[in-house]
Amino acid sequence: MKTFPMFLQMQGRRVIIAGGGEQAAQKCRLILKTEAAITVLAPVLDPELADLIAEGRIDWHTGPIRPCDFEGAALVFVATGCRATDSCLHMLAKSAGAIVNVVDQPDLCDALTPSLVDRSPVVVAIGTEGTAPVLARQIKTRLEEILEPRLGDLAALVGRLREHANTRLAPRARRDLWRWVFAGPARDVHRQGGERAAAKMIKHAIDTATFGAEDNGSVALVGAGPGAKDLITMRGVQQLQEADVIFYDRLVDPEILDLARRDAERIYVGKAPGCHHWPQDKISGVLVAAARQGKRVVRLKCGDPGVFARGAEEADALSAAGIPYEIVPGVTAASAASAALGGFLTERGTCDTLVLATGQSQTAGKSLGWMKTLQPGTRVAVYMGVGSAGKIAHEISVAGLQDVIDIDIVSRAQQIDQVIARCRASSLVRTVKESAISNPAILFLTWPQSTAQDVQSEKVAQLR
């Protein structure tokens, strides 16, 4: 970020607006939504500003503008409509040490005015660092549609009841309460105009501590997707934002953790293919222990927790301990890799069977059991197959399929350092080495139906 978003305390502070035309009036309208004291510096005012002066809502200074006029101001807007005059006033304001915004001259701005969604005290600010104000307005429009008009009133009500809740409820119970308020029936009632009824519901919930809160902890097994921050599901983000503690693996994009609550504890459990710093039984144990402490736990896994992620072992441990858990699916690596190739996992007329397999075998030297599933019209997505590339190539050759199986490889799918390669079984090992393929990677082995038909036709022709 080139700019840092922050909300300034404006109660009782001075804001200077240099200019008396429409641009100055626009800034005045904006600041009038706050509790700041506004002074306009201009020899002449447009009718809107003149009315505000007459109503006593702003002050007006008509004399020469000097650096001392800007001293002590929380913020200065320069908006005369003349670029040369604006530049001069910018220098005067800066000499007084003021924070300055010059309308339509971002290079002269210490502060940029965002697009605002105002549900005071709930305020959403959207900024593009001056690069795309039209985009900021489009985002504002979407948020205006999402956030109900009375949301600010509900937030204000919560603010008035917060101290009462603090005296009666423990921190964990308070978080449960406010989540219940903003995601449950109280908000629905308030949205429909039942302010008094909603207030009564919230007060009753505080006094009785009955609002659906759980005494015990819970665990969410969350799929983070293939790694890119924007490929985690909305439900996964919601779980991260409600978590007290997060146990996470090797994440391709560490920014995924930025989506979590700031005060959530983050614990790296160090799982990576072939390098298990934490044994699986230890991970299962700490999930159970944290939940028994009443914490909301997120077990964050790359891809989907149900696809070669040992999620079942953790779920079994939680069930045995009587810990409630939820499985939040994620975008699995095969889906991400297929999209990276610009294709689909199944294709009518080419591939109507999809097999998810692993290149890792529990028993050394054991053949790859899934090879027998490789039939015409089948695609096998091999997870963790890089280390077994030689074995895969050998078994394809032994089966006599080296000339009919198409192999596509995607390493670090959907990442900026993504690598894609294509080959046949005879060159698989060389391709992996020359293309610097490393885990996480998916190998797609495809026997197209059309190829199978061609092979069959060739055999028939030979018989004739």
Side-chain angles (χ1 to χ4, degrees), residues 167-188:
T167 61
R168 296 190 62 87
L169 301 172
R172 161 66 187 276
R174 292 199 297 269
R175 287 199 300 271
D176 289 335
L177 167 70
W178 302 132
R179 186 175 63 255
W180 173 82
V181 167
F182 291 114
R187 182 171 179 177
D188 293 336

Side-chain angles (χ1 to χ4, degrees), residues 68-275:
C68 62
D69 294 323
F70 301 103
E71 290 179 356
L75 190 60
V76 172
F77 290 99
V78 178
T80 68
C82 172
R83 294 182 67 86
T85 301
D86 284 351
S87 296
C88 293
L89 291 175
H90 167 262
M91 288 189 291
L92 289 178
K94 292 301 298 177
S95 68
I99 297 175
V100 184
N101 173 277
V102 182
V103 175
D104 292 336
Q105 296 195 58
D107 291 344
L108 297 182
C109 291
D110 301 311
L112 300 174
T113 306
S115 291
L116 297 176
V117 179
D118 185 6
R119 302 288 190 273
S120 185
V122 177
V123 180
V124 181
I126 306 110
T128 61
E129 297 184 344
T131 61
V134 171
L135 174 60
R137 288 194 292 272
Q138 289 178 349
I139 297 172
K140 167 184 164 65
T141 299
R142 292 289 300 276
L143 290 175
E144 292 281 8
E145 296 170 354
I146 294 171
L147 302 179
E148 66 267 25
R150 295 188 176 92
L151 181 60
D153 295 334
L154 178 60
L157 171 61
V158 165
R160 294 191 295 272
L161 295 175
R162 184 170 294 278
E163 185 60 33
H164 181 46
N166 289 347
T167 61
R168 296 190 62 87
L169 301 172
R172 161 66 187 276
R174 292 199 297 269
R175 287 199 300 271
D176 289 335
L177 167 70
W178 302 132
R179 186 175 63 255
W180 173 82
V181 167
F182 291 114
R187 182 171 179 177
D188 293 336
V189 170
H190 193 279
R191 181 188 290 114
Q192 296 166 12
E195 289 89 348
R196 290 185 180 180
K200 186 175 180 180
M201 291 173 65
I202 298 171
K203 290 175 183 177
H204 178 76
I206 294 172
D207 291 336
T208 62
T210 54
F211 37 82
E214 299 171 356
D215 294 331
N216 298 318
S218 60
V219 177
L221 306 175
V222 177
K229 180 180 179 180
D230 57 354
L231 285 179
I232 188 172
T233 66
M234 292 180 65
R235 185 178 297 183
V237 173
Q238 182 182 28
Q239 290 289 351
L240 285 174
Q241 293 175 346
E242 295 180 356
D244 299 308
V245 58
I246 301 164
F247 295 93
Y248 66 98
D249 291 345
R250 166 190 51 90
L251 291 177
V252 180
D253 186 352
E255 289 186 359
I256 288 178
L257 290 172
D258 292 340
L259 300 171
R261 230 178 60 221
R262 284 183 297 177
D263 58 342
E265 185 179 5
R266 296 156 171 81
I267 299 176
Y268 175 61
V269 296
K271 286 177 70 69
C275 184

Side-chain angles (χ1 to χ4, degrees), residues 397-441:
S397 298
V398 169
L401 301 176
Q402 64 271 21
D403 295 324
V404 298
I405 301 300
D406 298 328
I407 302 178
D408 296 279
I409 312 170
V410 182
S411 173
R412 300 180 68 81
Q414 305 293 331
Q415 302 301 299
I416 58 174
D417 54 349
Q418 170 182 284
V419 179
I420 294 175
R422 293 179 172 86
C423 63
R424 292 285 191 177
S426 59
S427 60
L428 176 57
V429 174
R430 184 176 72 251
T431 300
V432 167
K433 183 177 180 180
E434 292 178 351
S435 300
I437 301 293
S438 61
N439 282 315

Side-chain angles (χ1 to χ4, degrees), residues 318-335:
L318 295 167
S319 294
I323 304 295
Y325 66 89
E326 176 185 359
I327 301 172
V328 180
V331 177
T332 190
S335 296

